[in-house]
Structure formats: structure tokens, C-alpha cells
Amino acid sequence: MLALAEQGAPDGIWLRAGRQTGGKGRMGRGWESPVGNLYCSALVRLRASDPMPHTLALVAANAVHALVAPLCAGQARIKWPNDILVDGAKIAGILLERAGDAIVVGIGINVTDYPRGLDRPVTSLLAQGAREADAGALMERLAQLFGHWLAIWRAQGLDPVRTHWLLNAHPTGTPMRVVQADGESVEGAFDTLDQQGMLILRLANGHSRAIHAGDIFLT
């Protein structure tokens, strides 16, 4: 999709892979890609009037949550900045990449399988009881949901997107540890998202700290 973006591909196109040989997550981590799961990307061409590009992660999270939540036996929650969890186990991830005025929104959802032996719990739609889930049909529905939230993001700004995200995310007060890119670890409790989509962490001393990026571990 990045290559297509550089060749002038239009806003709104989607690609789906049946499997990936070089799937990746945040910070270049590998993403196991067996046949049966959903691996797809959407292309968003930025406009001058659009909100901040990084907040497309909230748009995507709202869409993915709306897709998987009704299919899962457990409770689906959004985890900042880019994961969907079901009863604490990861079921989907989101990755934004930029090429000029184009943002590629990559989405991976565990449909029929999930990796084993990781340092955190993982699940799939099949494991959650969604036995008729098909990756192709799921992408069609996901594209509709993403288009819905993208239109709200463009017409009304970030606020309604952020409000909906907060309704479906880890509750206020959730204990968490943040490991930042420089290796610094910060512990506290989830407070909110600020008006730019940054995570606000409430520290033990009562102060607040804005987190721009990092790995989140719910504790």
C-alpha cells in the first residue's frame, strides 16, 4: 500500500492479504500471519482541514472495536494506542505509516488463529465463539465502519471520535505501566486522553503526565 500511495493511489482504497511473509507491528516487531486471519490496509489522503494525522489511530480503533465486539464472548476494550483486547487478551492491532500526504492504516485481526508463546495473552475471534467469521467479509464490514468514523473525524473533528474511544477503552483508574522508546518505565493509572489524543497518566504523587508514545502494560 505504501508503494501504491507513492504511485498516486486514491484516498479510500483497501488491500487485503491472505497471508504475509513480512508482517510487522509497532517498532518493527514481527506479526505472525497464518492463513485465515485478516491483514488489511486502508489509504487515507490527508486534507488541509483534517485533524492531526496520528489521531487516525483512534478512528481505526473505533472501527475495529465496533467490528469485533459483537462477535466476542468476552468484553472487547480498546488499549491505547493501537490494540483491541478481549478480557485482557489481544485480538487486533493497528499500525499507521506515512508516505507524503498519505497515511496507510494497517490492521491485523486474529480471526481463526493466534500466536502462542508470547509474553502477553492473545486470542482470536474463533476462540471467542465467532465460528462463521470470514476474513474477506470482515474486511468489507470494517471498511464501512472505518468510512463512518473517518467521515465524522473529517466533518466534526477529533472530539466525537475521542469521546467514543473513551467509552470503549480501559476505564479511568486502570493501573498501567508505560515503557517509552528510550527505555524509561513509568507507572500510574489511566486518566484520560487529551485533546490531541495523547494518553494522560495519573502518577502516584497525584501529578499527571502526558504520554506521546510507548508500550502499555496493564497491571
Side-chain angles (χ1 to χ4, degrees), residues 39-150:
Y39 318 107
C40 60
S41 295
L43 180 62
V44 177
R45 290 281 179 188
L46 297 173
R47 304 173 184 175
S49 59
D50 284 343
M52 293 166 290
H54 71 268
T55 61
L56 279 167
L58 307 185
V59 172
N62 282 351
V64 176
H65 180 272
L67 176 72
V68 305
L71 303 175
C72 293
Q75 184 179 46
R77 289 282 190 186
I78 304 170
K79 190 189 83 167
W80 189 91
N82 62 350
D83 291 345
I84 308 297
L85 308 181
V86 178
D87 289 344
K90 182 171 178 175
I91 199 168
I94 299 160
L95 179 67
L96 302 188
E97 296 182 283
R98 184 168 183 170
D101 71 340
I103 300 290
V104 174
V105 182
I107 298 169
I109 301 175
N110 296 332
V111 179
T112 60
D113 199 6
Y114 60 89
R116 273 71 171 178
L118 300 183
D119 61 352
R120 63 191 71 186
V122 189
T123 189
S124 68
L125 289 175
L126 181 62
Q128 288 292 317
R131 304 195 177 280
E132 302 301 321
D134 170 77
L138 288 170
M139 193 191 79
E140 292 184 13
R141 176 58 178 154
L142 178 60
Q144 296 172 351
L145 292 165
F146 184 82
H148 168 78
W149 281 106
L150 182 66

Side-chain angles (χ1 to χ4, degrees), residues 24-49:
K24 63 181 180 180
R26 289 184 66 246
M27 302 175 69
R29 296 189 183 94
W31 184 279
E32 293 188 25
S33 307
V35 173
N37 290 344
L38 177 57
Y39 318 107
C40 60
S41 295
L43 180 62
V44 177
R45 290 281 179 188
L46 297 173
R47 304 173 184 175
S49 59

